[in-house]
Amino acid sequence: MTATEPATAPAPPGCPTSRPLLAVDGLGVRFRLPDVSVHAVTDLSLSVRAGELLAVVGESGCGKSVLAHALLGLLPANATITGHAVLHHPDSDPVDLVTCGQRHLAREVRGRRVGLVPQSPATALNPVRTGRRLLRETLRAHGRDRGGADRLAVDVGLDPADLDRYPHELSGGMAQRLVTALALAPDPALLIADEPTTGLDRPLVDHTLDLLRRRCDSGAAVVLITHDLAAARRVADTVAVMYASRVVEHREGDRLFASPTHPYGAALLDALPDRAFRPVPGDPPTLTALPVGCAFAPRCPRRTERCSGQPPPAPVAGGGTVACHHPIPTGAVA
């Protein structure tokens, strides 16, 4: 199946400059409810290249996990998806994940070219199979050595002996590490990790992040979906900040953490314990009643009447984009 490649912005400085492995253009996701529509993802465009770790960050409910599920066709029947998400592969034609259909996603994409570390491991594991059987079945299905199960367990920080347990016998952290191993078993070119450090203590968080970083350093690509800004800062090449269904800032990680240009990104960073430790004021809007203009305006100290209109993404000095009528100058203090 072929797809027309959408236009994509150049990679931010410091990132791989080859053709994107995944190019998302104008992606939108709406959920139809009896009386309202939920605008979960709105006009989202981004790309990730081989060797790149892209972190998608933002408060809970901003649309991060919906993005992951939309890319893999895992949304419920009441979802409407628009836009494009083109996946490239050196040995086959590009495929648009939005339009290719469930049959192609199931046979060619999910768990093969794209791996997923789900946010809720308890619902992703077969309760009547041990971790070892799950891993061996996955390895065999992809033509890989079944004896690699123990090695994968060690890679994710799991004692190989724990593979002989059933899912209900595992702690939340153990189950999280098992689903990470299952996602890595086919050696996918792109890994989408949705809150992969949930339930892990700090040493295991760092172990998991370092594992994802090594995946990129060996040539794969990773999309890390997380609310943990410290995790993103530790390993990300690029960061996309989501707010109320939209990407409001997308830049090289080091530059964004040093000098955010969107007031929301600056407020998120100010909430970190090693910074101002000041919560973001106010509450995000509901996704069933998004404002016509900038959704962050009611919480923003820089708002003006101009913010009643939707700000388009604009280039930032040094690379990347920001969607704000009154961005913070790079190097300035918010």
Side-chain angles (χ1 to χ4, degrees), residues 285-286 289-296 298 310:
T286 63
L290 291 176
V292 174
C294 175
F296 188 63
Q310 184 62 47

Side-chain angles (χ1 to χ4, degrees), residues 135-260:
L135 266 178
R136 285 184 169 177
E137 288 177 347
T138 303
L139 289 165
R140 181 178 58 195
H142 295 280
R144 305 191 69 197
D145 180 14
R146 289 184 301 167
D150 283 4
R151 185 181 65 253
L152 277 169
V154 172
D155 285 347
V156 300
L158 190 65
D159 187 336
D162 291 326
L163 292 180
D164 296 314
R165 300 186 182 191
Y166 289 91
H168 74 274
E169 298 176 308
L170 300 174
S171 68
M174 289 177 180
Q176 185 68 55
R177 281 170 276 167
L178 177 57
V179 294
T180 300
L182 288 166
L184 294 174
D187 193 24
L190 173 64
L191 180 69
I192 300 175
D194 189 2
E195 302 287 0
T197 58
T198 300
L200 304 183
D201 57 24
R202 196 70 238 177
L204 282 171
V205 168
D206 293 341
H207 180 98
T208 300
L209 294 174
D210 291 343
L211 173 65
L212 298 179
R213 181 66 261 170
R214 289 195 300 272
R215 292 278 309 166
C216 294
D217 293 342
S218 65
V222 173
V223 176
L224 170 63
I225 295 172
T226 183
H227 67 276
D228 186 345
L229 294 177
R233 181 170 55 185
R234 178 183 174 94
V235 295
D237 296 303
T238 53
V239 177
V241 180
M242 284 192 73
Y243 182 76
S245 83
R246 294 180 181 271
V247 169
V248 296
E249 187 168 5
H250 182 199
R251 296 171 61 208
E252 183 184 350
D254 289 345
R255 292 179 183 271
L256 187 148
F257 284 109
S259 180

Side-chain angles (χ1 to χ4, degrees), residues 258-295:
S259 180
T261 56
H262 196 284
Y264 174 63
L268 276 182
L269 294 180
D270 277 346
L272 291 173
D274 61 347
R275 299 210 180 185
F277 205 31
R278 181 173 60 237
V280 183
D283 297 302
T286 63
L287 298 183
T288 57
L290 291 176
V292 174
C294 175

Side-chain angles (χ1 to χ4, degrees), residues 15-83:
C15 300
T17 56
S18 60
R19 181 179 66 177
L21 178 65
L22 174 68
V24 182
D25 184 51
L27 186 71
V29 179
R30 304 286 181 272
F31 295 104
R32 302 181 304 278
L33 300 179
D35 300 317
V36 295
S37 291
V38 179
H39 298 251
V41 176
T42 303
D43 196 22
L44 185 147
S45 296
L46 50 79
S47 63
V48 60
R49 291 163 167 78
E52 178 183 353
L53 195 153
L54 166 67
V56 182
V57 304
E59 293 170 289
S60 296
C62 68
K64 304 188 300 296
S65 292
V66 174
L67 167 62
H69 293 165
L71 294 176
L72 289 172
L74 297 175
L75 296 176
N78 68 332
T80 299
I81 310 174
T82 56

